[in-house]
Amino acid sequence: MVYDWQFIVLMVVAVLLTGISKSGFAGGVGVVAVPLISLKASPTFAVAVMLPLLIVMDVFSLRAWWRYRLGSLLWLMFPPAVLGVAVGYLTYGVFDEALLKVLLGIFSILFGLWGLFKPFRGRLMPAWIGGLCGGIAGFTSFIAHAGGPPLNFYLLQCRLSKEQFLGTAVVFLAATNLVKLVPYGLLGLLNVANLTIALLLIPVAWLGVRLGLVIQKRLSGELFFRIILGLLILLGIRLIVDGWG
């Protein structure tokens, strides 16, 4: 891997956008980080470096949103998420890097389109849908730190206040990231090189979280969502082209 200026810029932008997303927008567009980094590095490297940074962001975000969490929704969605992480661990290595890029590209396009159009927003869904979304969120979080879209898919129709929505999402994603530490460690993804890069990017993670808190108070998140989700679709197309190339 070549650590050129393009790689550094992609890492900084990915971490900054993820921090903004996690603290201000329930992690919904933080999914952009792994596809973005994967333009210059392997998806495996991307998820390995991002996990410690996500946990650092979670610590910052929990201080702001912990008191707004809804325990009933967390108990509904988090246990299936643990199972989803386990499925991700058990299937790790099944896909080669090219296929993983294609799958990641497909996920990116689907999440981007869903985020832009939100076809099920406002429709009440049964509890089992929440459990299913939790399980999918655990799996997609394991393979690409993409737990936000499946989580938000269910939370958006629960008619929560902004504070309840953010608090529940932040706690769910933080708990899921902690669970992922075990399988990531067992797979050898948390090595010295990856942890060193993550350590150097902690100030960028902190800055992203602070910006997210400011943005969500002063600006409508809709435009931010649309720009990043549009970028996510373009990244998905690029990853599919790279994977098939």
mmCIF file of all heavy atoms in Angstrom, residues 144-182:
data_model
loop_
_atom_site.group_PDB
_atom_site.id
_atom_site.type_symbol
_atom_site.label_atom_id
_atom_site.label_comp_id
_atom_site.label_asym_id
_atom_site.label_seq_id
_atom_site.Cartn_x
_atom_site.Cartn_y
_atom_site.Cartn_z
ATOM 1 N N ALA A 144 -18.615 -3.738 6.827
ATOM 2 C CA ALA A 144 -18.313 -2.443 6.204
ATOM 3 C C ALA A 144 -18.636 -1.255 7.107
ATOM 4 O O ALA A 144 -18.713 -0.130 6.615
ATOM 5 C CB ALA A 144 -19.075 -2.302 4.886
ATOM 6 N N HIS A 145 -18.813 -1.487 8.420
ATOM 7 C CA HIS A 145 -19.228 -0.417 9.338
ATOM 8 C C HIS A 145 -20.436 0.318 8.779
ATOM 9 O O HIS A 145 -20.521 1.551 8.824
ATOM 10 C CB HIS A 145 -18.080 0.572 9.580
ATOM 11 C CG HIS A 145 -16.862 -0.066 10.162
ATOM 12 N ND1 HIS A 145 -16.923 -0.991 11.190
ATOM 13 C CD2 HIS A 145 -15.543 0.065 9.859
ATOM 14 C CE1 HIS A 145 -15.694 -1.380 11.493
ATOM 15 N NE2 HIS A 145 -14.846 -0.775 10.694
ATOM 16 N N ALA A 146 -21.373 -0.446 8.242
ATOM 17 C CA ALA A 146 -22.545 0.116 7.572
ATOM 18 C C ALA A 146 -23.817 -0.249 8.318
ATOM 19 O O ALA A 146 -24.836 -0.606 7.712
ATOM 20 C CB ALA A 146 -22.612 -0.377 6.121
ATOM 21 N N GLY A 147 -23.781 -0.155 9.632
ATOM 22 C CA GLY A 147 -24.960 -0.489 10.420
ATOM 23 C C GLY A 147 -26.008 0.606 10.445
ATOM 24 O O GLY A 147 -27.173 0.353 10.757
ATOM 25 N N GLY A 148 -25.615 1.839 10.121
ATOM 26 C CA GLY A 148 -26.533 2.967 10.199
ATOM 27 C C GLY A 148 -27.767 2.859 9.328
ATOM 28 O O GLY A 148 -28.896 3.045 9.811
ATOM 29 N N PRO A 149 -27.636 2.557 8.025
ATOM 30 C CA PRO A 149 -28.830 2.501 7.165
ATOM 31 C C PRO A 149 -29.880 1.476 7.590
ATOM 32 O O PRO A 149 -31.057 1.824 7.678
ATOM 33 C CB PRO A 149 -28.233 2.180 5.783
ATOM 34 C CG PRO A 149 -26.872 2.794 5.843
ATOM 35 C CD PRO A 149 -26.390 2.549 7.246
ATOM 36 N N PRO A 150 -29.528 0.204 7.873
ATOM 37 C CA PRO A 150 -30.572 -0.722 8.336
ATOM 38 C C PRO A 150 -31.196 -0.281 9.658
ATOM 39 O O PRO A 150 -32.400 -0.447 9.870
ATOM 40 C CB PRO A 150 -29.816 -2.053 8.503
ATOM 41 C CG PRO A 150 -28.607 -1.920 7.660
ATOM 42 C CD PRO A 150 -28.227 -0.482 7.703
ATOM 43 N N LEU A 151 -30.376 0.279 10.549
ATOM 44 C CA LEU A 151 -30.899 0.778 11.822
ATOM 45 C C LEU A 151 -31.887 1.913 11.592
ATOM 46 O O LEU A 151 -33.003 1.912 12.127
ATOM 47 C CB LEU A 151 -29.733 1.258 12.691
ATOM 48 C CG LEU A 151 -30.096 2.033 13.962
ATOM 49 C CD1 LEU A 151 -30.782 1.108 14.966
ATOM 50 C CD2 LEU A 151 -28.856 2.664 14.573
ATOM 51 N N ASN A 152 -31.486 2.882 10.794
ATOM 52 C CA ASN A 152 -32.344 4.037 10.543
ATOM 53 C C ASN A 152 -33.612 3.663 9.787
ATOM 54 O O ASN A 152 -34.644 4.322 9.934
ATOM 55 C CB ASN A 152 -31.574 5.103 9.761
ATOM 56 C CG ASN A 152 -30.441 5.687 10.576
ATOM 57 O OD1 ASN A 152 -30.372 5.509 11.785
ATOM 58 N ND2 ASN A 152 -29.533 6.389 9.919
ATOM 59 N N PHE A 153 -33.523 2.623 8.974
ATOM 60 C CA PHE A 153 -34.686 2.130 8.236
ATOM 61 C C PHE A 153 -35.848 1.875 9.195
ATOM 62 O O PHE A 153 -36.998 2.220 8.904
ATOM 63 C CB PHE A 153 -34.312 0.850 7.495
ATOM 64 C CG PHE A 153 -35.447 0.210 6.735
ATOM 65 C CD1 PHE A 153 -35.758 0.626 5.456
ATOM 66 C CD2 PHE A 153 -36.192 -0.811 7.311
ATOM 67 C CE1 PHE A 153 -36.803 0.036 4.754
ATOM 68 C CE2 PHE A 153 -37.232 -1.403 6.623
ATOM 69 C CZ PHE A 153 -37.544 -0.982 5.337
ATOM 70 N N TYR A 154 -35.548 1.279 10.335
ATOM 71 C CA TYR A 154 -36.603 0.992 11.315
ATOM 72 C C TYR A 154 -36.895 2.191 12.214
ATOM 73 O O TYR A 154 -38.059 2.525 12.475
ATOM 74 C CB TYR A 154 -36.218 -0.208 12.182
ATOM 75 C CG TYR A 154 -37.325 -0.634 13.128
ATOM 76 C CD1 TYR A 154 -38.465 -1.284 12.643
ATOM 77 C CD2 TYR A 154 -37.245 -0.366 14.490
ATOM 78 C CE1 TYR A 154 -39.492 -1.658 13.494
ATOM 79 C CE2 TYR A 154 -38.268 -0.742 15.347
ATOM 80 C CZ TYR A 154 -39.392 -1.383 14.848
ATOM 81 O OH TYR A 154 -40.418 -1.744 15.687
ATOM 82 N N LEU A 155 -35.849 2.868 12.679
ATOM 83 C CA LEU A 155 -36.058 3.966 13.616
ATOM 84 C C LEU A 155 -36.843 5.125 12.998
ATOM 85 O O LEU A 155 -37.592 5.820 13.695
ATOM 86 C CB LEU A 155 -34.719 4.492 14.133
ATOM 87 C CG LEU A 155 -33.914 3.561 15.054
ATOM 88 C CD1 LEU A 155 -32.676 4.278 15.574
ATOM 89 C CD2 LEU A 155 -34.767 3.049 16.209
ATOM 90 N N LEU A 156 -36.682 5.337 11.692
ATOM 91 C CA LEU A 156 -37.364 6.457 11.049
ATOM 92 C C LEU A 156 -38.880 6.350 11.130
ATOM 93 O O LEU A 156 -39.578 7.358 11.084
ATOM 94 C CB LEU A 156 -36.930 6.560 9.577
ATOM 95 C CG LEU A 156 -35.605 7.269 9.313
ATOM 96 C CD1 LEU A 156 -35.221 7.140 7.853
ATOM 97 C CD2 LEU A 156 -35.685 8.746 9.698
ATOM 98 N N GLN A 157 -39.416 5.134 11.240
ATOM 99 C CA GLN A 157 -40.865 4.996 11.277
ATOM 100 C C GLN A 157 -41.407 4.875 12.706
ATOM 101 O O GLN A 157 -42.596 4.660 12.900
ATOM 102 C CB GLN A 157 -41.291 3.786 10.424
ATOM 103 C CG GLN A 157 -40.678 2.467 10.816
ATOM 104 C CD GLN A 157 -41.383 1.794 11.965
ATOM 105 O OE1 GLN A 157 -42.591 1.613 11.961
ATOM 106 N NE2 GLN A 157 -40.620 1.414 12.984
ATOM 107 N N CYS A 158 -40.536 5.026 13.702
ATOM 108 C CA CYS A 158 -40.969 4.891 15.093
ATOM 109 C C CYS A 158 -41.505 6.199 15.675
ATOM 110 O O CYS A 158 -41.886 6.248 16.850
ATOM 111 C CB CYS A 158 -39.801 4.391 15.958
ATOM 112 S SG CYS A 158 -39.355 2.676 15.640
ATOM 113 N N ARG A 159 -41.482 7.254 14.896
ATOM 114 C CA ARG A 159 -42.034 8.550 15.305
ATOM 115 C C ARG A 159 -41.374 9.057 16.588
ATOM 116 O O ARG A 159 -42.048 9.425 17.552
ATOM 117 C CB ARG A 159 -43.551 8.461 15.465
ATOM 118 C CG ARG A 159 -44.258 8.084 14.163
ATOM 119 C CD ARG A 159 -45.737 7.901 14.330
ATOM 120 N NE ARG A 159 -46.362 7.484 13.068
ATOM 121 C CZ ARG A 159 -47.647 7.138 12.927
ATOM 122 N NH1 ARG A 159 -48.441 7.169 13.986
ATOM 123 N NH2 ARG A 159 -48.122 6.779 11.762
ATOM 124 N N LEU A 160 -40.062 9.047 16.584
ATOM 125 C CA LEU A 160 -39.289 9.509 17.729
ATOM 126 C C LEU A 160 -38.967 10.984 17.583
ATOM 127 O O LEU A 160 -38.965 11.525 16.469
ATOM 128 C CB LEU A 160 -37.976 8.715 17.836
ATOM 129 C CG LEU A 160 -38.073 7.188 17.817
ATOM 130 C CD1 LEU A 160 -36.681 6.585 17.818
ATOM 131 C CD2 LEU A 160 -38.891 6.683 18.989
ATOM 132 N N SER A 161 -38.676 11.621 18.708
ATOM 133 C CA SER A 161 -38.132 12.969 18.629
ATOM 134 C C SER A 161 -36.706 12.891 18.099
ATOM 135 O O SER A 161 -36.092 11.820 18.090
ATOM 136 C CB SER A 161 -38.134 13.619 20.019
ATOM 137 O OG SER A 161 -37.198 12.973 20.869
ATOM 138 N N LYS A 162 -36.168 14.028 17.647
ATOM 139 C CA LYS A 162 -34.799 14.030 17.137
ATOM 140 C C LYS A 162 -33.830 13.526 18.192
ATOM 141 O O LYS A 162 -32.919 12.748 17.895
ATOM 142 C CB LYS A 162 -34.403 15.435 16.686
ATOM 143 C CG LYS A 162 -33.000 15.508 16.093
ATOM 144 C CD LYS A 162 -32.657 16.901 15.603
ATOM 145 C CE LYS A 162 -32.388 17.852 16.742
ATOM 146 N NZ LYS A 162 -31.858 19.163 16.268
ATOM 147 N N GLU A 163 -34.042 13.948 19.439
ATOM 148 C CA GLU A 163 -33.146 13.540 20.522
ATOM 149 C C GLU A 163 -33.237 12.040 20.792
ATOM 150 O O GLU A 163 -32.217 11.376 20.985
ATOM 151 C CB GLU A 163 -33.474 14.327 21.801
ATOM 152 C CG GLU A 163 -33.132 15.801 21.743
ATOM 153 C CD GLU A 163 -34.148 16.614 20.956
ATOM 154 O OE1 GLU A 163 -35.247 16.072 20.666
ATOM 155 O OE2 GLU A 163 -33.862 17.782 20.629
ATOM 156 N N GLN A 164 -34.452 11.497 20.804
ATOM 157 C CA GLN A 164 -34.626 10.061 21.024
ATOM 158 C C GLN A 164 -34.018 9.254 19.874
ATOM 159 O O GLN A 164 -33.386 8.209 20.095
ATOM 160 C CB GLN A 164 -36.105 9.723 21.166
ATOM 161 C CG GLN A 164 -36.741 10.222 22.451
ATOM 162 C CD GLN A 164 -38.245 10.013 22.454
ATOM 163 O OE1 GLN A 164 -38.904 10.038 21.405
ATOM 164 N NE2 GLN A 164 -38.801 9.783 23.632
ATOM 165 N N PHE A 165 -34.231 9.746 18.668
ATOM 166 C CA PHE A 165 -33.680 9.066 17.487
ATOM 167 C C PHE A 165 -32.152 9.019 17.562
ATOM 168 O O PHE A 165 -31.536 7.959 17.416
ATOM 169 C CB PHE A 165 -34.132 9.810 16.229
ATOM 170 C CG PHE A 165 -33.627 9.213 14.947
ATOM 171 C CD1 PHE A 165 -34.282 8.159 14.344
ATOM 172 C CD2 PHE A 165 -32.479 9.711 14.332
ATOM 173 C CE1 PHE A 165 -33.820 7.614 13.155
ATOM 174 C CE2 PHE A 165 -32.015 9.171 13.150
ATOM 175 C CZ PHE A 165 -32.685 8.125 12.560
ATOM 176 N N LEU A 166 -31.536 10.157 17.807
ATOM 177 C CA LEU A 166 -30.078 10.218 17.873
ATOM 178 C C LEU A 166 -29.538 9.430 19.053
ATOM 179 O O LEU A 166 -28.550 8.695 18.929
ATOM 180 C CB LEU A 166 -29.621 11.679 17.953
ATOM 181 C CG LEU A 166 -29.748 12.487 16.655
ATOM 182 C CD1 LEU A 166 -29.562 13.970 16.927
ATOM 183 C CD2 LEU A 166 -28.733 12.011 15.628
ATOM 184 N N GLY A 167 -30.170 9.564 20.212
ATOM 185 C CA GLY A 167 -29.697 8.856 21.395
ATOM 186 C C GLY A 167 -29.738 7.350 21.220
ATOM 187 O O GLY A 167 -28.786 6.639 21.552
ATOM 188 N N THR A 168 -30.843 6.836 20.688
ATOM 189 C CA THR A 168 -30.977 5.392 20.483
ATOM 190 C C THR A 168 -29.984 4.883 19.441
ATOM 191 O O THR A 168 -29.340 3.841 19.629
ATOM 192 C CB THR A 168 -32.418 5.061 20.043
ATOM 193 O OG1 THR A 168 -33.333 5.547 21.022
ATOM 194 C CG2 THR A 168 -32.603 3.556 19.886
ATOM 195 N N ALA A 169 -29.835 5.620 18.356
ATOM 196 C CA ALA A 169 -28.915 5.199 17.296
ATOM 197 C C ALA A 169 -27.463 5.224 17.775
ATOM 198 O O ALA A 169 -26.693 4.294 17.497
ATOM 199 C CB ALA A 169 -29.084 6.103 16.068
ATOM 200 N N VAL A 170 -27.087 6.279 18.486
ATOM 201 C CA VAL A 170 -25.704 6.397 18.960
ATOM 202 C C VAL A 170 -25.353 5.255 19.910
ATOM 203 O O VAL A 170 -24.289 4.636 19.801
ATOM 204 C CB VAL A 170 -25.484 7.764 19.643
ATOM 205 C CG1 VAL A 170 -24.195 7.773 20.452
ATOM 206 C CG2 VAL A 170 -25.451 8.878 18.596
ATOM 207 N N VAL A 171 -26.253 4.940 20.845
ATOM 208 C CA VAL A 171 -25.981 3.861 21.807
ATOM 209 C C VAL A 171 -25.933 2.509 21.095
ATOM 210 O O VAL A 171 -25.060 1.671 21.375
ATOM 211 C CB VAL A 171 -27.038 3.851 22.926
ATOM 212 C CG1 VAL A 171 -26.854 2.635 23.833
ATOM 213 C CG2 VAL A 171 -26.940 5.136 23.754
ATOM 214 N N PHE A 172 -26.861 2.265 20.170
ATOM 215 C CA PHE A 172 -26.872 1.002 19.427
ATOM 216 C C PHE A 172 -25.569 0.800 18.672
ATOM 217 O O PHE A 172 -24.944 -0.277 18.747
ATOM 218 C CB PHE A 172 -28.054 0.983 18.454
ATOM 219 C CG PHE A 172 -28.089 -0.229 17.553
ATOM 220 C CD1 PHE A 172 -28.787 -1.361 17.929
ATOM 221 C CD2 PHE A 172 -27.432 -0.227 16.326
ATOM 222 C CE1 PHE A 172 -28.817 -2.487 17.105
ATOM 223 C CE2 PHE A 172 -27.455 -1.341 15.497
ATOM 224 C CZ PHE A 172 -28.148 -2.466 15.889
ATOM 225 N N LEU A 173 -25.139 1.804 17.925
ATOM 226 C CA LEU A 173 -23.927 1.672 17.119
ATOM 227 C C LEU A 173 -22.683 1.546 17.994
ATOM 228 O O LEU A 173 -21.755 0.794 17.663
ATOM 229 C CB LEU A 173 -23.804 2.867 16.172
ATOM 230 C CG LEU A 173 -24.893 2.961 15.090
ATOM 231 C CD1 LEU A 173 -24.792 4.276 14.341
ATOM 232 C CD2 LEU A 173 -24.795 1.783 14.121
ATOM 233 N N ALA A 174 -22.673 2.252 19.127
ATOM 234 C CA ALA A 174 -21.528 2.158 20.039
ATOM 235 C C ALA A 174 -21.414 0.756 20.619
ATOM 236 O O ALA A 174 -20.315 0.173 20.684
ATOM 237 C CB ALA A 174 -21.666 3.188 21.153
ATOM 238 N N ALA A 175 -22.541 0.188 21.049
ATOM 239 C CA ALA A 175 -22.525 -1.165 21.612
ATOM 240 C C ALA A 175 -22.112 -2.193 20.560
ATOM 241 O O ALA A 175 -21.348 -3.124 20.845
ATOM 242 C CB ALA A 175 -23.906 -1.500 22.182
ATOM 243 N N THR A 176 -22.609 -2.023 19.335
ATOM 244 C CA THR A 176 -22.250 -2.951 18.260
ATOM 245 C C THR A 176 -20.764 -2.879 17.946
ATOM 246 O O THR A 176 -20.112 -3.911 17.711
ATOM 247 C CB THR A 176 -23.079 -2.631 16.994
ATOM 248 O OG1 THR A 176 -24.473 -2.699 17.309
ATOM 249 C CG2 THR A 176 -22.776 -3.632 15.883
ATOM 250 N N ASN A 177 -20.195 -1.686 17.952
ATOM 251 C CA ASN A 177 -18.763 -1.541 17.687
ATOM 252 C C ASN A 177 -17.923 -2.222 18.760
ATOM 253 O O ASN A 177 -16.880 -2.820 18.460
ATOM 254 C CB ASN A 177 -18.393 -0.057 17.591
ATOM 255 C CG ASN A 177 -18.859 0.575 16.287
ATOM 256 O OD1 ASN A 177 -18.988 -0.106 15.268
ATOM 257 N ND2 ASN A 177 -19.124 1.870 16.317
ATOM 258 N N LEU A 178 -18.350 -2.151 20.001
ATOM 259 C CA LEU A 178 -17.621 -2.828 21.074
ATOM 260 C C LEU A 178 -17.651 -4.345 20.876
ATOM 261 O O LEU A 178 -16.646 -5.030 21.095
ATOM 262 C CB LEU A 178 -18.210 -2.459 22.435
ATOM 263 C CG LEU A 178 -17.903 -1.053 22.947
ATOM 264 C CD1 LEU A 178 -18.620 -0.812 24.276
ATOM 265 C CD2 LEU A 178 -16.397 -0.844 23.113
ATOM 266 N N VAL A 179 -18.806 -4.863 20.473
ATOM 267 C CA VAL A 179 -18.918 -6.310 20.206
ATOM 268 C C VAL A 179 -17.957 -6.720 19.098
ATOM 269 O O VAL A 179 -17.333 -7.792 19.151
ATOM 270 C CB VAL A 179 -20.370 -6.671 19.832
ATOM 271 C CG1 VAL A 179 -20.460 -8.115 19.328
ATOM 272 C CG2 VAL A 179 -21.289 -6.484 21.041
ATOM 273 N N LYS A 180 -17.794 -5.873 18.086
ATOM 274 C CA LYS A 180 -16.937 -6.196 16.945
ATOM 275 C C LYS A 180 -15.457 -6.291 17.312
ATOM 276 O O LYS A 180 -14.669 -6.884 16.570
ATOM 277 C CB LYS A 180 -17.136 -5.152 15.842
ATOM 278 C CG LYS A 180 -18.422 -5.330 15.069
ATOM 279 C CD LYS A 180 -18.991 -4.025 14.530
ATOM 280 C CE LYS A 180 -18.006 -3.242 13.710
ATOM 281 N NZ LYS A 180 -18.644 -1.994 13.171
ATOM 282 N N LEU A 181 -15.070 -5.712 18.427
ATOM 283 C CA LEU A 181 -13.664 -5.776 18.835
ATOM 284 C C LEU A 181 -13.184 -7.225 18.973
ATOM 285 O O LEU A 181 -12.046 -7.537 18.615
ATOM 286 C CB LEU A 181 -13.467 -5.054 20.168
ATOM 287 C CG LEU A 181 -13.319 -3.534 20.122
ATOM 288 C CD1 LEU A 181 -13.282 -2.980 21.536
ATOM 289 C CD2 LEU A 181 -12.058 -3.139 19.349
ATOM 290 N N VAL A 182 -14.042 -8.087 19.496
ATOM 291 C CA VAL A 182 -13.640 -9.483 19.737
ATOM 292 C C VAL A 182 -13.344 -10.217 18.428
ATOM 293 O O VAL A 182 -12.236 -10.740 18.233
ATOM 294 C CB VAL A 182 -14.706 -10.229 20.562
ATOM 295 C CG1 VAL A 182 -14.336 -11.705 20.714
ATOM 296 C CG2 VAL A 182 -14.869 -9.577 21.935
#
